[in-house]
Amino acid sequence: MTAGTAHIGMREYGHDAREAARAAVMLSPAVLFYVIFFGVPMLSLLVLSFWHVEGFDIVADFTGANYQKIASSGLYRDILLRTIGLGLLTAAITVPIAFTLSYLMRFVFPHKAQFILQLVLVSLFSGYLVRIYAWRTILGKQGLLNSALQWLGAIDRPLEYLIYSNFAVIVTLTGLLLPLAVLPIYSSMANISRDHIEIAADLGSRRLHLVRTVLIPMALPGIRTGFAFTFLLAAGDFVTPSLVGGSQSIMIGNVIADQFRGTGANWPLGAALAFVVMAAVMLIVIVITHLIRRVTRW
Amino acid sequence: MVAGSWRYVWAYVFVCAVMLYLYVPIAVTVLFSFANSPRLSLPIEGLTLDWYSRALDNPLIVTALRNTALLAAISAVGGCLMGTAFAFGVLKLRQERTRRVLLGLGLLPAVVPLLVIGVALAVFFRTLGSKPGLFNAAVGHVLISLPFVVLTLNARLETFDFSVLEAARDLGATPGRAFLDITLPLIRTSVIGAGLLAAALSLDEFVVTWFNVGTELTAPVLIWGLMRRGVDPSINALATMLLAALLVLILAATMTSRRAPQ
């Protein structure tokens, strides 16, 4: 009896501390794994970006030489600008498609929404390399699209710009990243009820006005996440430009990849390029979300 | 009404067009893996299984498939154990803010470009003197599958009724017993679903693998090598086999999580 009450008492007193200890035990494996294999590697990449290469050796010192080289080289600047341009264009195409799809799922086909979402999710996980390669078959000079257009008599000669071009890169990236934009945008629309829309409509809101003053502001967190996802991942991709892009669509990802796995590799320079592109993308995301918020307020 | 039904038609067309956009590449790959002309263009003259036998004749494929299966198993088990424990640990925390910050950090690797994760790991392992190979790649696979496991389980655990556990503890069950008898049966399907998802991610992973696997092969690395060499229809056969495996894993993952008891 006494043992029993003592036991219960201990449980009351030690409860909080013991729960906290148990939480720490459960968190520690993943936290340690993240620190060792994610935190430390990202930091080593950052440190490496301040080292430099002499001959074939990496010299450990602290110089801004790589960053200076990137800033002063017209070639890197052009590729960086192109990467940001292609990334922005991809995001600017992907997000409105995802927004429209989410809107239709939420308000026009609510009963099929789960099914459509399932289809979108499955496509997200079905073959990254495979889907990029498939676009080469579709957009190629003698590919499906060209042969279909020729068969229909719409064109006499194959359209050259369909493949190995910026067009091909954007089409492919949009297809790859669309699911990643739909998921956050659709889930942020789940908070908007039909009532919001109907009340606004009753108050005399016209359709476009409704989108600008009700829908976009309420779905803004999802739109922001979707935009940031697509932009960042598009700007960081190197497989798409190297499989379907042309000589005019080399992106910074290709240059970074070559610094690590190419001939004439330069790891410190590659590391610096990686941080430059990530910083540029984040800065632009911040500026753009700020702008969207201002424009959509009224 | 007429205007309304037209709007409905347009909406329908839009949704179908987007689904086509997402699925035509997959359909094309599967279709051409059975087409008998080596040139990848229409019309298709006949069907054949030649590309499959040619793909399977490639002596490298057995190694690639074995390595891919090994990595998928490691990410499923490793990702699941650490991710589940993490999701539980986060929920046990008292402060809402700490919970949100930790969860956000747990999802961080999902929003860093794979290229950057890949090269960062390569730098890290090179500093340690660990030669590129399957071990390094496995670490990368677990790292990129963890956020998805955490996300899946966190969504499940948010609706988990912890009062059942409290009741069991009050009735004298040890924490271990309570976990085995109550928690595990309730969350088992979600854990399995998350594991299957981790396996699928690993099966499909190319970028991080490419920078860390060295001269070893996985199925996506082999496909990449073939793609760089030019048009070869046996790529479509390999890709279709990979797609089939992915589809099975993903459908199983979504089905197990849908059947999760409420």
Side-chain angles (χ1 to χ4, degrees), chain A residues 11 16 26 34 58 118-119 123 126-129 133-134 136 142 171 174-175 229 232 261, chain B residues 21 23 25-26 41-42 85 92 94 106 109 111 126 139 169-170 204 210 220 227 246 254 258:
Chain A
R11 257 179 70 191
D16 272 13
M26 287 178 151
Y34 272 142
I58 295 175
Q118 208 74 43
L119 279 178
S123 90
S126 50
Y128 165 73
L129 266 185
Y133 182 70
R136 195 148 92 174
Q142 283 152 349
V171 168
T174 303
F229 264 178
L232 185 63
R261 267 208 89 144
Chain B
Y21 187 26
Y23 279 93
I26 296 167
S41 61
L42 288 176
K92 277 191 182 292
R94 274 288 152 94
V111 296
R126 181 166 148 157
V139 168
R169 296 290 312 282
D170 287 342
D204 200 28
W210 170 243
M227 281 174 187
L246 280 170
T254 53
R258 202 184 305 164

mmCIF file of all heavy atoms in Angstrom, chain A residues 11 16 26 34 58 118-119 123 126-129 133-134 136 142 171 174-175 229 232 261, chain B residues 21 23 25-26 41-42 85 92 94 106 109 111 126 139 169-170 204 210 220 227 246 254 258:
data_model
loop_
_atom_site.group_PDB
_atom_site.id
_atom_site.type_symbol
_atom_site.label_atom_id
_atom_site.label_comp_id
_atom_site.label_asym_id
_atom_site.label_seq_id
_atom_site.Cartn_x
_atom_site.Cartn_y
_atom_site.Cartn_z
ATOM 1 N N ARG A 11 5.479 9.641 -9.416
ATOM 2 C CA ARG A 11 5.080 9.911 -10.792
ATOM 3 C C ARG A 11 4.594 11.339 -10.944
ATOM 4 O O ARG A 11 4.849 11.983 -11.939
ATOM 5 C CB ARG A 11 3.989 8.935 -11.234
ATOM 6 C CG ARG A 11 4.567 7.854 -12.119
ATOM 7 C CD ARG A 11 3.528 6.883 -12.526
ATOM 8 N NE ARG A 11 2.578 7.474 -13.453
ATOM 9 C CZ ARG A 11 1.452 6.880 -13.789
ATOM 10 N NH1 ARG A 11 1.122 5.729 -13.254
ATOM 11 N NH2 ARG A 11 0.641 7.447 -14.646
ATOM 12 N N ASP A 16 7.112 15.824 -15.044
ATOM 13 C CA ASP A 16 7.592 16.788 -16.046
ATOM 14 C C ASP A 16 9.026 16.519 -16.449
ATOM 15 O O ASP A 16 9.342 16.438 -17.627
ATOM 16 C CB ASP A 16 7.499 18.211 -15.493
ATOM 17 C CG ASP A 16 6.132 18.797 -15.788
ATOM 18 O OD1 ASP A 16 5.242 18.011 -16.176
ATOM 19 O OD2 ASP A 16 5.975 20.022 -15.643
ATOM 20 N N MET A 26 14.287 10.693 -27.330
ATOM 21 C CA MET A 26 13.683 10.408 -28.631
ATOM 22 C C MET A 26 14.200 11.349 -29.712
ATOM 23 O O MET A 26 14.336 10.964 -30.869
ATOM 24 C CB MET A 26 12.166 10.563 -28.525
ATOM 25 C CG MET A 26 11.539 9.429 -27.763
ATOM 26 S SD MET A 26 9.789 9.714 -27.623
ATOM 27 C CE MET A 26 9.234 8.025 -27.540
ATOM 28 N N TYR A 34 21.252 14.976 -37.977
ATOM 29 C CA TYR A 34 21.159 16.244 -38.704
ATOM 30 C C TYR A 34 22.393 17.110 -38.481
ATOM 31 O O TYR A 34 22.921 17.710 -39.413
ATOM 32 C CB TYR A 34 19.923 17.032 -38.266
ATOM 33 C CG TYR A 34 18.673 16.705 -39.036
ATOM 34 C CD1 TYR A 34 17.440 16.650 -38.406
ATOM 35 C CD2 TYR A 34 18.704 16.474 -40.404
ATOM 36 C CE1 TYR A 34 16.274 16.358 -39.108
ATOM 37 C CE2 TYR A 34 17.562 16.185 -41.112
ATOM 38 C CZ TYR A 34 16.342 16.133 -40.457
ATOM 39 O OH TYR A 34 15.213 15.843 -41.155
ATOM 40 N N ILE A 58 44.012 21.916 -52.710
ATOM 41 C CA ILE A 58 43.160 22.894 -52.047
ATOM 42 C C ILE A 58 43.955 23.477 -50.883
ATOM 43 O O ILE A 58 44.495 22.740 -50.058
ATOM 44 C CB ILE A 58 41.866 22.231 -51.542
ATOM 45 C CG1 ILE A 58 41.039 21.752 -52.736
ATOM 46 C CG2 ILE A 58 41.065 23.203 -50.685
ATOM 47 C CD1 ILE A 58 39.812 20.978 -52.346
ATOM 48 N N GLN A 118 -4.096 13.009 -54.873
ATOM 49 C CA GLN A 118 -3.381 11.739 -54.890
ATOM 50 C C GLN A 118 -2.562 11.607 -56.184
ATOM 51 O O GLN A 118 -1.395 11.229 -56.156
ATOM 52 C CB GLN A 118 -4.408 10.603 -54.812
ATOM 53 C CG GLN A 118 -3.875 9.360 -54.165
ATOM 54 C CD GLN A 118 -3.751 9.551 -52.669
ATOM 55 O OE1 GLN A 118 -4.640 10.095 -52.045
ATOM 56 N NE2 GLN A 118 -2.647 9.137 -52.095
ATOM 57 N N LEU A 119 -3.205 11.945 -57.306
ATOM 58 C CA LEU A 119 -2.515 11.879 -58.607
ATOM 59 C C LEU A 119 -1.301 12.802 -58.612
ATOM 60 O O LEU A 119 -0.221 12.436 -59.087
ATOM 61 C CB LEU A 119 -3.463 12.289 -59.731
ATOM 62 C CG LEU A 119 -4.452 11.237 -60.242
ATOM 63 C CD1 LEU A 119 -5.339 11.836 -61.322
ATOM 64 C CD2 LEU A 119 -3.715 10.025 -60.783
ATOM 65 N N SER A 123 2.719 11.602 -58.842
ATOM 66 C CA SER A 123 3.616 12.066 -59.900
ATOM 67 C C SER A 123 4.886 12.676 -59.307
ATOM 68 O O SER A 123 5.953 12.619 -59.902
ATOM 69 C CB SER A 123 2.911 13.054 -60.816
ATOM 70 O OG SER A 123 3.074 14.366 -60.343
ATOM 71 N N SER A 126 7.415 9.915 -58.893
ATOM 72 C CA SER A 126 7.627 8.904 -59.922
ATOM 73 C C SER A 126 8.678 9.319 -60.942
ATOM 74 O O SER A 126 8.366 9.850 -61.991
ATOM 75 C CB SER A 126 6.314 8.551 -60.600
ATOM 76 O OG SER A 126 5.660 9.722 -60.995
ATOM 77 N N GLY A 127 9.915 9.045 -60.585
ATOM 78 C CA GLY A 127 10.978 9.114 -61.566
ATOM 79 C C GLY A 127 11.432 10.507 -61.946
ATOM 80 O O GLY A 127 10.956 11.071 -62.920
ATOM 81 N N TYR A 128 12.392 11.033 -61.181
ATOM 82 C CA TYR A 128 12.948 12.361 -61.461
ATOM 83 C C TYR A 128 13.737 12.334 -62.773
ATOM 84 O O TYR A 128 13.383 13.024 -63.743
ATOM 85 C CB TYR A 128 13.819 12.752 -60.264
ATOM 86 C CG TYR A 128 14.757 13.911 -60.470
ATOM 87 C CD1 TYR A 128 14.276 15.207 -60.534
ATOM 88 C CD2 TYR A 128 16.129 13.697 -60.556
ATOM 89 C CE1 TYR A 128 15.157 16.269 -60.693
ATOM 90 C CE2 TYR A 128 17.006 14.743 -60.706
ATOM 91 C CZ TYR A 128 16.509 16.032 -60.780
ATOM 92 O OH TYR A 128 17.385 17.060 -60.932
ATOM 93 N N LEU A 129 14.765 11.485 -62.826
ATOM 94 C CA LEU A 129 15.560 11.364 -64.054
ATOM 95 C C LEU A 129 14.705 10.925 -65.233
ATOM 96 O O LEU A 129 14.832 11.441 -66.341
ATOM 97 C CB LEU A 129 16.616 10.277 -63.862
ATOM 98 C CG LEU A 129 18.002 10.634 -63.390
ATOM 99 C CD1 LEU A 129 18.853 9.391 -63.403
ATOM 100 C CD2 LEU A 129 18.601 11.687 -64.291
ATOM 101 N N TYR A 133 14.155 12.726 -68.901
ATOM 102 C CA TYR A 133 14.535 12.044 -70.135
ATOM 103 C C TYR A 133 13.338 11.926 -71.072
ATOM 104 O O TYR A 133 13.468 12.066 -72.291
ATOM 105 C CB TYR A 133 15.089 10.661 -69.782
ATOM 106 C CG TYR A 133 15.565 9.890 -70.974
ATOM 107 C CD1 TYR A 133 16.710 10.281 -71.653
ATOM 108 C CD2 TYR A 133 14.864 8.780 -71.428
ATOM 109 C CE1 TYR A 133 17.152 9.576 -72.748
ATOM 110 C CE2 TYR A 133 15.304 8.072 -72.527
ATOM 111 C CZ TYR A 133 16.453 8.467 -73.178
ATOM 112 O OH TYR A 133 16.884 7.778 -74.266
ATOM 113 N N ALA A 134 12.147 11.688 -70.496
ATOM 114 C CA ALA A 134 10.948 11.540 -71.326
ATOM 115 C C ALA A 134 10.656 12.818 -72.104
ATOM 116 O O ALA A 134 10.219 12.773 -73.256
ATOM 117 C CB ALA A 134 9.751 11.166 -70.460
ATOM 118 N N ARG A 136 12.754 14.687 -73.385
ATOM 119 C CA ARG A 136 13.615 14.688 -74.558
ATOM 120 C C ARG A 136 12.934 13.923 -75.700
ATOM 121 O O ARG A 136 12.996 14.320 -76.856
ATOM 122 C CB ARG A 136 14.952 14.035 -74.194
ATOM 123 C CG ARG A 136 16.012 14.294 -75.209
ATOM 124 C CD ARG A 136 17.371 14.364 -74.572
ATOM 125 N NE ARG A 136 18.027 13.080 -74.562
ATOM 126 C CZ ARG A 136 19.283 12.914 -74.154
ATOM 127 N NH1 ARG A 136 19.973 13.940 -73.695
ATOM 128 N NH2 ARG A 136 19.831 11.745 -74.163
ATOM 129 N N GLN A 142 12.810 14.887 -83.810
ATOM 130 C CA GLN A 142 11.869 13.940 -84.409
ATOM 131 C C GLN A 142 10.974 13.344 -83.328
ATOM 132 O O GLN A 142 10.528 12.208 -83.417
ATOM 133 C CB GLN A 142 12.645 12.839 -85.129
ATOM 134 C CG GLN A 142 13.184 13.330 -86.443
ATOM 135 C CD GLN A 142 14.441 12.608 -86.855
ATOM 136 O OE1 GLN A 142 15.047 11.863 -86.094
ATOM 137 N NE2 GLN A 142 14.842 12.829 -88.084
ATOM 138 N N VAL A 171 9.750 24.026 -69.693
ATOM 139 C CA VAL A 171 8.663 23.041 -69.759
ATOM 140 C C VAL A 171 8.947 21.875 -68.818
ATOM 141 O O VAL A 171 8.075 21.431 -68.068
ATOM 142 C CB VAL A 171 8.479 22.531 -71.211
ATOM 143 C CG1 VAL A 171 7.577 21.314 -71.252
ATOM 144 C CG2 VAL A 171 7.907 23.635 -72.085
ATOM 145 N N THR A 174 8.884 22.960 -65.009
ATOM 146 C CA THR A 174 7.517 23.206 -64.560
ATOM 147 C C THR A 174 6.805 21.887 -64.270
ATOM 148 O O THR A 174 6.146 21.735 -63.247
ATOM 149 C CB THR A 174 6.738 24.010 -65.621
ATOM 150 O OG1 THR A 174 7.438 25.226 -65.865
ATOM 151 C CG2 THR A 174 5.335 24.330 -65.158
ATOM 152 N N GLY A 175 6.980 20.911 -65.170
ATOM 153 C CA GLY A 175 6.365 19.607 -64.954
ATOM 154 C C GLY A 175 6.882 18.927 -63.696
ATOM 155 O O GLY A 175 6.126 18.310 -62.951
ATOM 156 N N PHE A 229 9.728 27.282 -53.081
ATOM 157 C CA PHE A 229 10.109 25.911 -53.458
ATOM 158 C C PHE A 229 10.515 25.833 -54.916
ATOM 159 O O PHE A 229 11.589 25.376 -55.266
ATOM 160 C CB PHE A 229 8.907 24.977 -53.302
ATOM 161 C CG PHE A 229 8.862 24.237 -51.998
ATOM 162 C CD1 PHE A 229 7.795 23.391 -51.726
ATOM 163 C CD2 PHE A 229 9.851 24.380 -51.059
ATOM 164 C CE1 PHE A 229 7.724 22.709 -50.525
ATOM 165 C CE2 PHE A 229 9.789 23.698 -49.858
ATOM 166 C CZ PHE A 229 8.717 22.861 -49.595
ATOM 167 N N LEU A 232 13.645 28.076 -55.882
ATOM 168 C CA LEU A 232 14.904 27.573 -55.330
ATOM 169 C C LEU A 232 15.312 26.266 -56.007
ATOM 170 O O LEU A 232 16.468 26.096 -56.405
ATOM 171 C CB LEU A 232 14.762 27.367 -53.817
ATOM 172 C CG LEU A 232 16.030 26.952 -53.080
ATOM 173 C CD1 LEU A 232 17.075 28.034 -53.186
ATOM 174 C CD2 LEU A 232 15.747 26.646 -51.620
ATOM 175 N N ARG A 261 32.612 17.377 -59.962
ATOM 176 C CA ARG A 261 32.792 16.084 -60.612
ATOM 177 C C ARG A 261 33.234 16.236 -62.049
ATOM 178 O O ARG A 261 32.930 15.412 -62.878
ATOM 179 C CB ARG A 261 31.493 15.275 -60.562
ATOM 180 C CG ARG A 261 31.408 14.345 -59.379
ATOM 181 C CD ARG A 261 30.549 13.147 -59.681
ATOM 182 N NE ARG A 261 31.315 12.055 -60.260
ATOM 183 C CZ ARG A 261 31.080 10.772 -60.005
ATOM 184 N NH1 ARG A 261 30.111 10.431 -59.192
ATOM 185 N NH2 ARG A 261 31.793 9.831 -60.581
ATOM 186 N N TYR B 21 -0.164 16.809 -68.488
ATOM 187 C CA TYR B 21 1.165 17.395 -68.395
ATOM 188 C C TYR B 21 2.030 16.584 -67.426
ATOM 189 O O TYR B 21 3.208 16.322 -67.686
ATOM 190 C CB TYR B 21 1.016 18.843 -67.939
ATOM 191 C CG TYR B 21 2.268 19.682 -67.941
ATOM 192 C CD1 TYR B 21 3.341 19.410 -68.776
ATOM 193 C CD2 TYR B 21 2.364 20.772 -67.088
ATOM 194 C CE1 TYR B 21 4.474 20.202 -68.768
ATOM 195 C CE2 TYR B 21 3.488 21.579 -67.078
ATOM 196 C CZ TYR B 21 4.544 21.277 -67.913
ATOM 197 O OH TYR B 21 5.664 22.066 -67.892
ATOM 198 N N TYR B 23 1.468 13.398 -66.455
ATOM 199 C CA TYR B 23 1.560 11.959 -66.695
ATOM 200 C C TYR B 23 2.012 11.550 -68.091
ATOM 201 O O TYR B 23 2.393 10.400 -68.277
ATOM 202 C CB TYR B 23 0.238 11.279 -66.315
ATOM 203 C CG TYR B 23 0.170 11.066 -64.820
ATOM 204 C CD1 TYR B 23 -0.434 12.000 -63.983
ATOM 205 C CD2 TYR B 23 0.777 9.964 -64.248
ATOM 206 C CE1 TYR B 23 -0.444 11.825 -62.613
ATOM 207 C CE2 TYR B 23 0.774 9.775 -62.883
ATOM 208 C CZ TYR B 23 0.160 10.710 -62.067
ATOM 209 O OH TYR B 23 0.173 10.526 -60.715
ATOM 210 N N PRO B 25 4.789 12.294 -69.713
ATOM 211 C CA PRO B 25 6.174 11.799 -69.727
ATOM 212 C C PRO B 25 6.284 10.356 -69.249
ATOM 213 O O PRO B 25 7.049 9.564 -69.806
ATOM 214 C CB PRO B 25 6.893 12.748 -68.759
ATOM 215 C CG PRO B 25 6.076 13.971 -68.725
ATOM 216 C CD PRO B 25 4.659 13.548 -68.941
ATOM 217 N N ILE B 26 5.497 10.024 -68.229
ATOM 218 C CA ILE B 26 5.555 8.665 -67.698
ATOM 219 C C ILE B 26 4.986 7.687 -68.727
ATOM 220 O O ILE B 26 5.572 6.633 -69.011
ATOM 221 C CB ILE B 26 4.779 8.598 -66.364
ATOM 222 C CG1 ILE B 26 5.486 9.502 -65.342
ATOM 223 C CG2 ILE B 26 4.682 7.175 -65.857
ATOM 224 C CD1 ILE B 26 4.689 9.779 -64.101
ATOM 225 N N SER B 41 10.140 7.647 -82.260
ATOM 226 C CA SER B 41 9.155 8.545 -82.849
ATOM 227 C C SER B 41 7.921 7.746 -83.260
ATOM 228 O O SER B 41 7.956 6.524 -83.366
ATOM 229 C CB SER B 41 9.747 9.272 -84.060
ATOM 230 O OG SER B 41 10.129 8.334 -85.039
ATOM 231 N N LEU B 42 6.850 8.449 -83.489
ATOM 232 C CA LEU B 42 5.606 7.817 -83.909
ATOM 233 C C LEU B 42 5.585 7.686 -85.430
ATOM 234 O O LEU B 42 6.275 8.424 -86.111
ATOM 235 C CB LEU B 42 4.425 8.666 -83.436
ATOM 236 C CG LEU B 42 4.160 8.642 -81.934
ATOM 237 C CD1 LEU B 42 3.036 9.602 -81.597
ATOM 238 C CD2 LEU B 42 3.838 7.253 -81.450
ATOM 239 N N ALA B 85 10.920 8.512 -33.942
ATOM 240 C CA ALA B 85 11.329 8.950 -32.607
ATOM 241 C C ALA B 85 11.316 10.474 -32.530
ATOM 242 O O ALA B 85 10.833 11.055 -31.553
ATOM 243 C CB ALA B 85 12.725 8.415 -32.284
ATOM 244 N N LYS B 92 6.179 15.642 -27.456
ATOM 245 C CA LYS B 92 6.276 15.600 -25.997
ATOM 246 C C LYS B 92 6.734 16.931 -25.416
ATOM 247 O O LYS B 92 6.613 17.156 -24.218
ATOM 248 C CB LYS B 92 7.268 14.511 -25.585
ATOM 249 C CG LYS B 92 6.637 13.124 -25.541
ATOM 250 C CD LYS B 92 7.569 12.145 -24.874
ATOM 251 C CE LYS B 92 6.980 10.749 -24.869
ATOM 252 N NZ LYS B 92 5.794 10.654 -23.991
ATOM 253 N N ARG B 94 6.935 20.701 -24.248
ATOM 254 C CA ARG B 94 5.880 21.516 -23.661
ATOM 255 C C ARG B 94 5.606 22.775 -24.482
ATOM 256 O O ARG B 94 4.487 23.150 -24.730
ATOM 257 C CB ARG B 94 6.276 21.926 -22.228
ATOM 258 C CG ARG B 94 5.899 20.880 -21.214
ATOM 259 C CD ARG B 94 4.382 20.864 -21.010
ATOM 260 N NE ARG B 94 3.916 19.547 -20.605
ATOM 261 C CZ ARG B 94 3.758 19.191 -19.347
ATOM 262 N NH1 ARG B 94 4.012 20.018 -18.390
ATOM 263 N NH2 ARG B 94 3.334 17.986 -19.069
ATOM 264 N N GLY B 106 13.681 20.165 -38.731
ATOM 265 C CA GLY B 106 13.611 18.791 -39.215
ATOM 266 C C GLY B 106 13.265 18.714 -40.687
ATOM 267 O O GLY B 106 13.618 17.761 -41.367
ATOM 268 N N PRO B 109 16.247 20.012 -44.668
ATOM 269 C CA PRO B 109 16.932 19.416 -45.834
ATOM 270 C C PRO B 109 16.035 19.312 -47.067
ATOM 271 O O PRO B 109 16.542 19.236 -48.190
ATOM 272 C CB PRO B 109 17.320 18.016 -45.332
ATOM 273 C CG PRO B 109 17.385 18.152 -43.860
ATOM 274 C CD PRO B 109 16.339 19.152 -43.488
ATOM 275 N N VAL B 111 14.225 21.632 -48.281
ATOM 276 C CA VAL B 111 14.162 22.881 -49.035
ATOM 277 C C VAL B 111 15.541 23.400 -49.457
ATOM 278 O O VAL B 111 15.645 24.493 -49.970
ATOM 279 C CB VAL B 111 13.405 23.991 -48.257
ATOM 280 C CG1 VAL B 111 11.967 23.583 -48.066
ATOM 281 C CG2 VAL B 111 14.059 24.289 -46.934
ATOM 282 N N ARG B 126 35.083 13.989 -47.686
ATOM 283 C CA ARG B 126 36.469 14.107 -48.138
ATOM 284 C C ARG B 126 37.354 14.613 -47.006
ATOM 285 O O ARG B 126 38.475 14.133 -46.826
ATOM 286 C CB ARG B 126 36.542 15.059 -49.329
ATOM 287 C CG ARG B 126 37.946 15.215 -49.853
ATOM 288 C CD ARG B 126 37.904 15.875 -51.200
ATOM 289 N NE ARG B 126 39.080 16.691 -51.399
ATOM 290 C CZ ARG B 126 39.525 17.027 -52.597
ATOM 291 N NH1 ARG B 126 38.876 16.652 -53.659
ATOM 292 N NH2 ARG B 126 40.598 17.783 -52.712
ATOM 293 N N VAL B 139 24.192 7.529 -46.296
ATOM 294 C CA VAL B 139 23.988 8.653 -45.372
ATOM 295 C C VAL B 139 23.143 9.732 -46.061
ATOM 296 O O VAL B 139 22.185 10.257 -45.487
ATOM 297 C CB VAL B 139 25.343 9.229 -44.904
ATOM 298 C CG1 VAL B 139 25.149 10.562 -44.197
ATOM 299 C CG2 VAL B 139 26.038 8.248 -43.972
ATOM 300 N N ARG B 169 -1.075 4.028 -18.629
ATOM 301 C CA ARG B 169 -0.063 4.252 -17.594
ATOM 302 C C ARG B 169 -0.693 4.288 -16.221
ATOM 303 O O ARG B 169 -0.160 3.750 -15.255
ATOM 304 C CB ARG B 169 0.676 5.568 -17.864
ATOM 305 C CG ARG B 169 1.473 5.590 -19.169
ATOM 306 C CD ARG B 169 2.677 4.685 -19.105
ATOM 307 N NE ARG B 169 3.451 4.895 -17.887
ATOM 308 C CZ ARG B 169 4.280 5.915 -17.726
ATOM 309 N NH1 ARG B 169 4.477 6.789 -18.668
ATOM 310 N NH2 ARG B 169 4.940 6.035 -16.592
ATOM 311 N N ASP B 170 -1.870 4.902 -16.135
ATOM 312 C CA ASP B 170 -2.562 4.971 -14.848
ATOM 313 C C ASP B 170 -2.971 3.590 -14.374
ATOM 314 O O ASP B 170 -3.064 3.331 -13.180
ATOM 315 C CB ASP B 170 -3.797 5.880 -14.957
ATOM 316 C CG ASP B 170 -3.393 7.342 -15.036
ATOM 317 O OD1 ASP B 170 -2.245 7.639 -14.660
ATOM 318 O OD2 ASP B 170 -4.210 8.168 -15.491
ATOM 319 N N ASP B 204 14.664 6.555 -56.167
ATOM 320 C CA ASP B 204 14.637 7.543 -57.237
ATOM 321 C C ASP B 204 15.780 8.549 -57.124
ATOM 322 O O ASP B 204 15.951 9.391 -57.980
ATOM 323 C CB ASP B 204 13.293 8.276 -57.179
ATOM 324 C CG ASP B 204 12.961 8.951 -58.499
ATOM 325 O OD1 ASP B 204 13.433 8.455 -59.532
ATOM 326 O OD2 ASP B 204 12.249 9.962 -58.493
ATOM 327 N N TRP B 210 24.993 10.841 -56.882
ATOM 328 C CA TRP B 210 25.988 11.096 -57.929
ATOM 329 C C TRP B 210 27.268 11.701 -57.362
ATOM 330 O O TRP B 210 28.364 11.373 -57.789
ATOM 331 C CB TRP B 210 25.335 12.015 -58.967
ATOM 332 C CG TRP B 210 26.240 12.600 -60.005
ATOM 333 C CD1 TRP B 210 26.514 13.917 -60.199
ATOM 334 C CD2 TRP B 210 26.970 11.896 -61.018
ATOM 335 N NE1 TRP B 210 27.353 14.088 -61.250
ATOM 336 C CE2 TRP B 210 27.652 12.863 -61.778
ATOM 337 C CE3 TRP B 210 27.102 10.556 -61.348
ATOM 338 C CZ2 TRP B 210 28.470 12.533 -62.850
ATOM 339 C CZ3 TRP B 210 27.917 10.225 -62.423
ATOM 340 C CH2 TRP B 210 28.580 11.200 -63.158
ATOM 341 N N PRO B 220 19.494 4.619 -60.778
ATOM 342 C CA PRO B 220 19.478 5.943 -61.424
ATOM 343 C C PRO B 220 20.849 6.368 -61.972
ATOM 344 O O PRO B 220 20.910 6.996 -63.031
ATOM 345 C CB PRO B 220 19.014 6.882 -60.307
ATOM 346 C CG PRO B 220 18.218 6.034 -59.398
ATOM 347 C CD PRO B 220 18.913 4.700 -59.420
ATOM 348 N N MET B 227 21.987 7.577 -70.498
ATOM 349 C CA MET B 227 21.375 8.760 -71.116
ATOM 350 C C MET B 227 22.419 9.675 -71.721
ATOM 351 O O MET B 227 22.212 10.271 -72.769
ATOM 352 C CB MET B 227 20.617 9.581 -70.066
ATOM 353 C CG MET B 227 19.275 9.054 -69.710
ATOM 354 S SD MET B 227 18.650 10.052 -68.346
ATOM 355 C CE MET B 227 17.183 9.128 -67.975
ATOM 356 N N LEU B 246 8.649 2.090 -58.183
ATOM 357 C CA LEU B 246 8.260 3.318 -57.485
ATOM 358 C C LEU B 246 6.750 3.368 -57.269
ATOM 359 O O LEU B 246 6.272 3.712 -56.192
ATOM 360 C CB LEU B 246 8.683 4.541 -58.300
ATOM 361 C CG LEU B 246 10.135 4.959 -58.187
ATOM 362 C CD1 LEU B 246 10.458 6.009 -59.223
ATOM 363 C CD2 LEU B 246 10.393 5.512 -56.797
ATOM 364 N N THR B 254 0.588 5.295 -49.818
ATOM 365 C CA THR B 254 -0.618 6.103 -49.639
ATOM 366 C C THR B 254 -1.760 5.242 -49.121
ATOM 367 O O THR B 254 -2.578 5.702 -48.349
ATOM 368 C CB THR B 254 -1.046 6.783 -50.959
ATOM 369 O OG1 THR B 254 -1.142 5.797 -51.971
ATOM 370 C CG2 THR B 254 -0.076 7.848 -51.363
ATOM 371 N N ARG B 258 -3.797 5.802 -45.652
ATOM 372 C CA ARG B 258 -5.233 6.088 -45.668
ATOM 373 C C ARG B 258 -5.981 5.135 -44.746
ATOM 374 O O ARG B 258 -7.005 5.469 -44.180
ATOM 375 C CB ARG B 258 -5.773 5.986 -47.096
ATOM 376 C CG ARG B 258 -7.058 6.766 -47.249
ATOM 377 C CD ARG B 258 -7.657 6.620 -48.606
ATOM 378 N NE ARG B 258 -6.712 6.995 -49.659
ATOM 379 C CZ ARG B 258 -6.902 6.666 -50.928
ATOM 380 N NH1 ARG B 258 -7.950 5.956 -51.281
ATOM 381 N NH2 ARG B 258 -6.049 7.038 -51.835
#
